[in-house]
PDB file of all heavy atoms in Angstrom:
ATOM      1  N   ARG A 240      -3.610  -2.141  -1.802  1.00 98.00           N
ATOM      2  CA  ARG A 240      -2.333  -2.610  -2.629  1.00 98.00           C
ATOM      3  C   ARG A 240      -1.882  -1.516  -3.422  1.00 98.00           C
ATOM      4  O   ARG A 240      -0.734  -1.188  -3.602  1.00 98.00           O
ATOM      5  CB  ARG A 240      -2.600  -3.917  -3.177  1.00 98.00           C
ATOM      6  CG  ARG A 240      -1.489  -4.600  -3.921  1.00 98.00           C
ATOM      7  CD  ARG A 240      -2.007  -5.923  -4.621  1.00 98.00           C
ATOM      8  NE  ARG A 240      -3.223  -5.764  -5.417  1.00 98.00           N
ATOM      9  CZ  ARG A 240      -3.228  -5.195  -6.580  1.00 98.00           C
ATOM     10  NH1 ARG A 240      -2.210  -4.707  -7.048  1.00 98.00           N
ATOM     11  NH2 ARG A 240      -4.309  -5.096  -7.292  1.00 98.00           N
ATOM     12  N   GLN A 241      -2.888  -0.883  -4.175  1.00 98.00           N
ATOM     13  CA  GLN A 241      -2.535   0.195  -5.093  1.00 98.00           C
ATOM     14  C   GLN A 241      -1.932   1.384  -4.302  1.00 98.00           C
ATOM     15  O   GLN A 241      -0.972   1.984  -4.863  1.00 98.00           O
ATOM     16  CB  GLN A 241      -3.711   0.691  -5.858  1.00 98.00           C
ATOM     17  CG  GLN A 241      -4.305  -0.335  -6.844  1.00 98.00           C
ATOM     18  CD  GLN A 241      -5.769  -0.065  -7.136  1.00 98.00           C
ATOM     19  OE1 GLN A 241      -6.378   0.992  -6.754  1.00 98.00           O
ATOM     20  NE2 GLN A 241      -6.472  -0.985  -7.974  1.00 98.00           N
ATOM     21  N   ARG A 242      -2.413   1.621  -3.155  1.00 98.00           N
ATOM     22  CA  ARG A 242      -1.941   2.798  -2.449  1.00 98.00           C
ATOM     23  C   ARG A 242      -0.495   2.505  -2.022  1.00 98.00           C
ATOM     24  O   ARG A 242       0.395   3.358  -2.070  1.00 98.00           O
ATOM     25  CB  ARG A 242      -2.767   3.009  -1.173  1.00 98.00           C
ATOM     26  CG  ARG A 242      -4.113   3.408  -1.396  1.00 98.00           C
ATOM     27  CD  ARG A 242      -4.907   3.708  -0.111  1.00 98.00           C
ATOM     28  NE  ARG A 242      -4.291   4.925   0.511  1.00 98.00           N
ATOM     29  CZ  ARG A 242      -4.881   6.129  -0.012  1.00 98.00           C
ATOM     30  NH1 ARG A 242      -5.750   6.238  -0.849  1.00 98.00           N
ATOM     31  NH2 ARG A 242      -4.225   7.124   0.488  1.00 98.00           N
ATOM     32  N   ARG A 243      -0.180   1.273  -1.491  1.00 98.00           N
ATOM     33  CA  ARG A 243       1.107   0.973  -1.159  1.00 98.00           C
ATOM     34  C   ARG A 243       2.165   0.985  -2.355  1.00 98.00           C
ATOM     35  O   ARG A 243       3.276   1.544  -2.189  1.00 98.00           O
ATOM     36  CB  ARG A 243       1.198  -0.461  -0.540  1.00 98.00           C
ATOM     37  CG  ARG A 243       0.507  -0.501   0.866  1.00 98.00           C
ATOM     38  CD  ARG A 243       0.732  -1.814   1.533  1.00 98.00           C
ATOM     39  NE  ARG A 243      -0.100  -2.923   0.898  1.00 98.00           N
ATOM     40  CZ  ARG A 243      -1.366  -3.155   1.211  1.00 98.00           C
ATOM     41  NH1 ARG A 243      -2.030  -2.433   2.174  1.00 98.00           N
ATOM     42  NH2 ARG A 243      -2.013  -4.143   0.540  1.00 98.00           N
ATOM     43  N   TYR A 244       1.698   0.390  -3.344  1.00 98.00           N
ATOM     44  CA  TYR A 244       2.616   0.396  -4.620  1.00 98.00           C
ATOM     45  C   TYR A 244       2.845   1.886  -5.057  1.00 98.00           C
ATOM     46  O   TYR A 244       4.021   2.238  -5.280  1.00 98.00           O
ATOM     47  CB  TYR A 244       1.779  -0.327  -5.727  1.00 98.00           C
ATOM     48  CG  TYR A 244       2.678  -0.455  -6.938  1.00 98.00           C
ATOM     49  CD1 TYR A 244       3.608  -1.413  -7.086  1.00 98.00           C
ATOM     50  CD2 TYR A 244       2.452   0.444  -8.071  1.00 98.00           C
ATOM     51  CE1 TYR A 244       4.427  -1.539  -8.208  1.00 98.00           C
ATOM     52  CE2 TYR A 244       3.272   0.342  -9.115  1.00 98.00           C
ATOM     53  CZ  TYR A 244       4.140  -0.691  -9.201  1.00 98.00           C
ATOM     54  OH  TYR A 244       4.935  -0.678 -10.422  1.00 98.00           O
ATOM     55  N   ALA A 245       1.861   2.718  -5.094  1.00 98.00           N
ATOM     56  CA  ALA A 245       1.991   4.009  -5.518  1.00 98.00           C
ATOM     57  C   ALA A 245       2.866   4.939  -4.592  1.00 98.00           C
ATOM     58  O   ALA A 245       3.795   5.590  -5.043  1.00 98.00           O
ATOM     59  CB  ALA A 245       0.669   4.798  -5.730  1.00 98.00           C
ATOM     60  N   THR A 246       2.681   4.653  -3.304  1.00 98.00           N
ATOM     61  CA  THR A 246       3.486   5.286  -2.334  1.00 98.00           C
ATOM     62  C   THR A 246       5.067   4.865  -2.555  1.00 98.00           C
ATOM     63  O   THR A 246       5.928   5.831  -2.403  1.00 98.00           O
ATOM     64  CB  THR A 246       3.093   4.975  -0.907  1.00 98.00           C
ATOM     65  OG1 THR A 246       1.686   5.321  -0.798  1.00 98.00           O
ATOM     66  CG2 THR A 246       3.907   5.696   0.166  1.00 98.00           C
ATOM     67  N   LEU A 247       5.306   3.614  -2.617  1.00 98.00           N
ATOM     68  CA  LEU A 247       6.598   3.160  -2.583  1.00 98.00           C
ATOM     69  C   LEU A 247       7.293   3.727  -3.885  1.00 98.00           C
ATOM     70  O   LEU A 247       8.503   4.119  -3.900  1.00 98.00           O
ATOM     71  CB  LEU A 247       6.863   1.713  -2.564  1.00 98.00           C
ATOM     72  CG  LEU A 247       6.367   1.116  -1.216  1.00 98.00           C
ATOM     73  CD1 LEU A 247       6.221  -0.350  -1.173  1.00 98.00           C
ATOM     74  CD2 LEU A 247       7.398   1.389  -0.173  1.00 98.00           C
ATOM     75  N   ARG A 248       6.494   3.672  -4.981  1.00 98.00           N
ATOM     76  CA  ARG A 248       7.192   4.175  -6.380  1.00 98.00           C
ATOM     77  C   ARG A 248       7.411   5.612  -6.221  1.00 98.00           C
ATOM     78  O   ARG A 248       8.556   6.015  -6.679  1.00 98.00           O
ATOM     79  CB  ARG A 248       6.242   3.899  -7.409  1.00 98.00           C
ATOM     80  CG  ARG A 248       6.034   2.393  -7.856  1.00 98.00           C
ATOM     81  CD  ARG A 248       7.254   1.611  -8.399  1.00 98.00           C
ATOM     82  NE  ARG A 248       8.123   1.295  -7.418  1.00 98.00           N
ATOM     83  CZ  ARG A 248       7.952   0.184  -6.531  1.00 98.00           C
ATOM     84  NH1 ARG A 248       6.919  -0.588  -6.573  1.00 98.00           N
ATOM     85  NH2 ARG A 248       8.824   0.072  -5.587  1.00 98.00           N
ATOM     86  N   LEU A 249       6.549   6.381  -5.620  1.00 98.00           N
ATOM     87  CA  LEU A 249       6.835   7.768  -5.451  1.00 98.00           C
ATOM     88  C   LEU A 249       8.053   8.100  -4.591  1.00 98.00           C
ATOM     89  O   LEU A 249       8.898   8.834  -5.021  1.00 98.00           O
ATOM     90  CB  LEU A 249       5.573   8.429  -4.972  1.00 98.00           C
ATOM     91  CG  LEU A 249       5.779   9.852  -4.474  1.00 98.00           C
ATOM     92  CD1 LEU A 249       6.057  10.806  -5.822  1.00 98.00           C
ATOM     93  CD2 LEU A 249       4.676  10.474  -3.648  1.00 98.00           C
ATOM     94  N   LEU A 250       8.101   7.475  -3.537  1.00 98.00           N
ATOM     95  CA  LEU A 250       9.268   7.663  -2.590  1.00 98.00           C
ATOM     96  C   LEU A 250      10.599   7.231  -3.286  1.00 98.00           C
ATOM     97  O   LEU A 250      11.514   7.995  -3.087  1.00 98.00           O
ATOM     98  CB  LEU A 250       8.972   6.921  -1.281  1.00 98.00           C
ATOM     99  CG  LEU A 250       7.872   7.507  -0.430  1.00 98.00           C
ATOM    100  CD1 LEU A 250       7.529   6.505   0.760  1.00 98.00           C
ATOM    101  CD2 LEU A 250       8.167   8.852   0.094  1.00 98.00           C
ATOM    102  N   GLU A 251      10.512   6.151  -3.908  1.00 98.00           N
ATOM    103  CA  GLU A 251      11.670   5.667  -4.609  1.00 98.00           C
ATOM    104  C   GLU A 251      12.163   6.754  -5.591  1.00 98.00           C
ATOM    105  O   GLU A 251      13.431   7.017  -5.681  1.00 98.00           O
ATOM    106  CB  GLU A 251      11.271   4.423  -5.206  1.00 98.00           C
ATOM    107  CG  GLU A 251      12.508   3.602  -5.766  1.00 98.00           C
ATOM    108  CD  GLU A 251      11.941   2.236  -6.315  1.00 98.00           C
ATOM    109  OE1 GLU A 251      10.932   2.298  -6.992  1.00 98.00           O
ATOM    110  OE2 GLU A 251      12.549   1.155  -5.999  1.00 98.00           O
ATOM    111  N   ASP A 252      11.384   7.263  -6.414  1.00 98.00           N
ATOM    112  CA  ASP A 252      11.505   8.230  -7.356  1.00 98.00           C
ATOM    113  C   ASP A 252      12.099   9.606  -6.670  1.00 98.00           C
ATOM    114  O   ASP A 252      13.165  10.079  -7.121  1.00 98.00           O
ATOM    115  CB  ASP A 252      10.291   8.592  -8.140  1.00 98.00           C
ATOM    116  CG  ASP A 252      10.510   9.547  -9.295  1.00 98.00           C
ATOM    117  OD1 ASP A 252      11.482   9.491 -10.016  1.00 98.00           O
ATOM    118  OD2 ASP A 252       9.676  10.497  -9.379  1.00 98.00           O
ATOM    119  N   LEU A 253      11.551   9.938  -5.648  1.00 98.00           N
ATOM    120  CA  LEU A 253      11.948  11.146  -5.004  1.00 98.00           C
ATOM    121  C   LEU A 253      13.457  11.012  -4.548  1.00 98.00           C
ATOM    122  O   LEU A 253      14.274  11.857  -4.582  1.00 98.00           O
ATOM    123  CB  LEU A 253      10.982  11.555  -3.947  1.00 98.00           C
ATOM    124  CG  LEU A 253       9.602  12.121  -4.333  1.00 98.00           C
ATOM    125  CD1 LEU A 253       8.750  12.320  -3.052  1.00 98.00           C
ATOM    126  CD2 LEU A 253       9.727  13.493  -5.085  1.00 98.00           C
ATOM    127  N   LEU A 254      13.566   9.790  -3.715  1.00 98.00           N
ATOM    128  CA  LEU A 254      14.923   9.596  -3.197  1.00 98.00           C
ATOM    129  C   LEU A 254      15.987   9.440  -4.334  1.00 98.00           C
ATOM    130  O   LEU A 254      17.206   9.876  -4.163  1.00 98.00           O
ATOM    131  CB  LEU A 254      14.919   8.301  -2.311  1.00 98.00           C
ATOM    132  CG  LEU A 254      14.106   8.571  -1.056  1.00 98.00           C
ATOM    133  CD1 LEU A 254      13.706   7.147  -0.400  1.00 98.00           C
ATOM    134  CD2 LEU A 254      14.730   9.392  -0.070  1.00 98.00           C
TER     135      LEU A 254
END
Side-chain angles (χ1 to χ4, degrees):
R240 191 178 45 74
Q241 292 162 5
R242 300 185 69 80
R243 286 186 289 276
Y244 183 79
T246 303
L247 291 170
R248 293 295 76 78
L249 170 68
L250 291 170
E251 194 173 42
D252 179 47
L253 292 172
L254 292 166

